[in-house]
Amino acid sequence: MHNSSGNPLGNTASTTQPTAALTAYGYTPAVARHFHANPCPGATGRGRVVRVDRNLLLVVVNDGLLHLPYPLTGDVPVTGDWVWTGPNRAGDRQILAVLPRVSALSRKRAFEDSSAEQVLAANMDTVGVVVPVDRPLTHNRLERTLVAAWNSGATPLVVITKADLVEVADDVVGKVILQAAGVEVVTTSAESGDGIDELLGHIPPGGTVVLLGPSGAGKSTLINALVGSDVQHTGEVRSGDFKGKHTTTSRELVPLSNGAVLMDTPGVRGFGLFDAEDGLGEMFGDAEELARRCRFTDCAHQSEPGCAVRDAIASGLLPERRWNSYLKMQRELASLARRSDAAAQRAYQREWHQKVVAAGKSQRWAEREGVERQERAAGKDRKRRR
């Protein structure tokens, strides 16, 4: 049931107008419609998770920032989630429900034998993959991060930092453009301010961008340039191994002056893919298209005649390193799917065992029936001969 304004009755939060506090953190008419489409009985307010701490969540609500406990049931909130809030037994506010995520950036948890998902960020419009020019470009790392970015449901964007190091910048930019396979690339220098306006132009009004990159990539310095003040601590990068200090220790939303929202993240050393087949297809669409052109549908792309993949590699159209990277990520996702679907695999094995047992019983029953039939026929013959 709805009232004359079109809001659901019995949900006072639906009639609450957002304040500047919520608007600064990305509350837009589209978000309002998302709340309207996902009502929560008993909710009295709306909010967004700004930061996830060990014991509490920092949430922006209509009257500012609050530290709230984790919800007792439902999804575990992550930075960027939109939430319904309401009173708890003590009279204070609590999170009653997490809205369905429009986009979510995930990776496999950082354990060798893990098959669990770790959601890093939610409800972002753009994933900015940060690439510094002052260290060697790791092709595989860039590719797998872009695969995850495509798979998140947001738009990937490569952000090159420290471009004031002109002696190496051009070389890195050229390699990244080739490697990013159609993803837009923005070159920035936080020191000189170059590229900052261009980067802001890639973030829609009220939109959210998450910056993702290794420690020491210059994310915090870039955020300070985007915000226009020192809101993030910065640290030095060791010259020997190009590793930086973790100046950012948690994922946190930072409002920008143009109405957009930026999410800083701690440096990510590794990025294990999780359920990213769609992102793999977006990132390696050229390789998959070549594979579909092979003469044989079951081509293994080794030495078969008419293999479009091997022909493309031989002609230089498809770099063999890129093809091998695609195959490696394919195997990684397949292995993860098998581990995460262990329960289904056990169920299949049980079903298969039952079928074998049933088939064995059927076979033994058929053999017994045949023997008995022969014995009955032999008994009738003996009676006739008497």
Side-chain angles (χ1 to χ4, degrees):
M1 182 179 294
H2 295 73
N3 60 21
S4 59
S5 64
N7 293 317
L9 293 177
N11 192 336
T12 58
S14 299
T15 60
T16 302
Q17 293 298 318
T19 62
L22 267 178
T23 303
Y25 284 92
Y27 191 94
T28 63
V31 175
R33 291 191 294 270
H34 194 43
F35 272 99
H36 181 77
N38 296 276
C40 175
T44 57
R46 306 174 180 191
R48 192 179 196 187
V49 178
V50 173
R51 189 179 67 237
V52 175
D53 295 324
R54 181 172 298 178
N55 299 316
L56 293 171
L57 302 168
L58 183 64
V59 180
V60 61
V61 294
N62 255 347
D63 49 348
L65 294 169
L66 292 177
H67 279 104
L68 299 179
Y70 281 77
L72 298 176
T73 59
D75 293 334
V76 177
V78 301
T79 302
D81 270 328
W82 292 103
V83 297
W84 283 111
T85 64
N88 61 20
R89 295 178 182 177
D92 299 322
R93 273 171 283 191
Q94 65 173 333
I95 294 174
L96 298 181
V98 177
L99 267 66
R101 291 160 182 158
V102 177
S103 59
L105 179 66
S106 301
R107 69 171 177 177
K108 183 181 77 67
R109 287 197 176 275
F111 301 102
E112 185 67 26
D113 58 349
S114 173
S115 59
E117 178 184 20
Q118 180 187 18
V119 182
L120 301 177
N123 301 313
M124 61 278 164
D125 302 275
T126 306
V127 177
V129 181
V130 179
V131 178
V133 301
D134 62 344
R135 66 184 69 183
L137 178 65
T138 307
H139 297 287
N140 183 260
R141 179 195 185 93
L142 175 61
E143 286 172 342
R144 67 176 46 245
T145 307
L146 286 172
V147 166
W150 276 118
N151 205 66
S152 70
T155 301
L157 175 70
V158 176
V159 182
I160 295 179
T161 58
K162 308 181 184 182
D164 47 289
L165 303 175
V166 292
E167 65 275 10
V168 292
D170 291 343
D171 182 52
V172 172
V173 172
K175 290 179 179 178
V176 168
I177 290 175
L178 290 174
Q179 199 67 34
V183 177
E184 291 200 57
V185 178
V186 177
T187 304
T188 67
S189 169
E191 296 295 332
S192 64
D194 292 341
I196 300 302
D197 289 340
E198 183 184 356
L199 177 56
L200 286 171
H202 284 275
I203 311 171
T208 299
V209 58
V210 56
L211 295 181
L212 197 65
S215 299
K219 298 190 304 297
S220 296
T221 305
L222 180 61
I223 289 174
N224 289 338
L226 290 168
V227 176
S229 61
D230 291 341
V231 295
Q232 298 287 336
H233 295 295
T234 58
E236 296 180 355
V237 178
R238 296 197 296 263
S239 59
D241 55 10
F242 299 99
K243 292 183 178 179
K245 299 176 182 178
H246 286 279
T247 54
T248 302
T249 57
S250 61
R251 299 170 192 92
E252 183 171 357
L253 299 181
V254 179
L256 300 179
S257 58
N258 67 342
V261 183
L262 190 147
M263 186 189 304
D264 191 13
T265 62
V268 178
R269 288 192 176 90
F271 211 101
L273 298 178
F274 183 88
D275 192 20
E277 285 80 5
D278 290 344
L280 194 67
E282 290 283 357
M283 185 62 194
F284 291 94
D286 57 336
E288 293 188 347
E289 175 60 28
L290 284 169
R292 287 191 288 268
R293 296 180 189 173
C294 291
R295 180 185 300 176
F296 303 108
T297 56
D298 60 346
C299 183
H301 316 298
Q302 297 295 329
S303 56
E304 294 87 347
C307 176
V309 171
R310 302 315 306 180
D311 289 345
I313 292 174
S315 66
L317 179 64
L318 176 67
E320 188 162 17
R321 186 216 57 77
R322 179 172 169 80
W323 173 250
N324 290 335
S325 179
Y326 168 69
L327 293 181
K328 180 179 179 181
M329 284 185 247
Q330 243 191 358
R331 291 192 297 269
E332 183 179 327
L333 289 173
S335 175
L336 179 64
R338 287 193 297 270
R339 290 203 304 273
S340 61
D341 205 19
Q345 188 173 7
R346 288 193 295 269
Y348 170 78
Q349 289 173 341
R350 286 196 299 270
E351 181 182 358
W352 177 80
H353 178 71
Q354 290 167 357
K355 286 181 179 179
V356 170
V357 172
K361 288 180 179 178
S362 298
Q363 180 64 27
R364 290 192 296 272
W365 179 85
E367 291 173 354
R368 278 200 308 272
E369 181 67 18
V371 171
E372 290 173 356
R373 191 181 300 113
Q374 291 175 359
E375 290 176 348
R376 286 195 297 271
K380 290 179 181 179
D381 287 343
R382 284 195 295 272
K383 288 181 180 179
R384 281 197 294 270
R385 285 196 296 269
R386 289 175 184 168

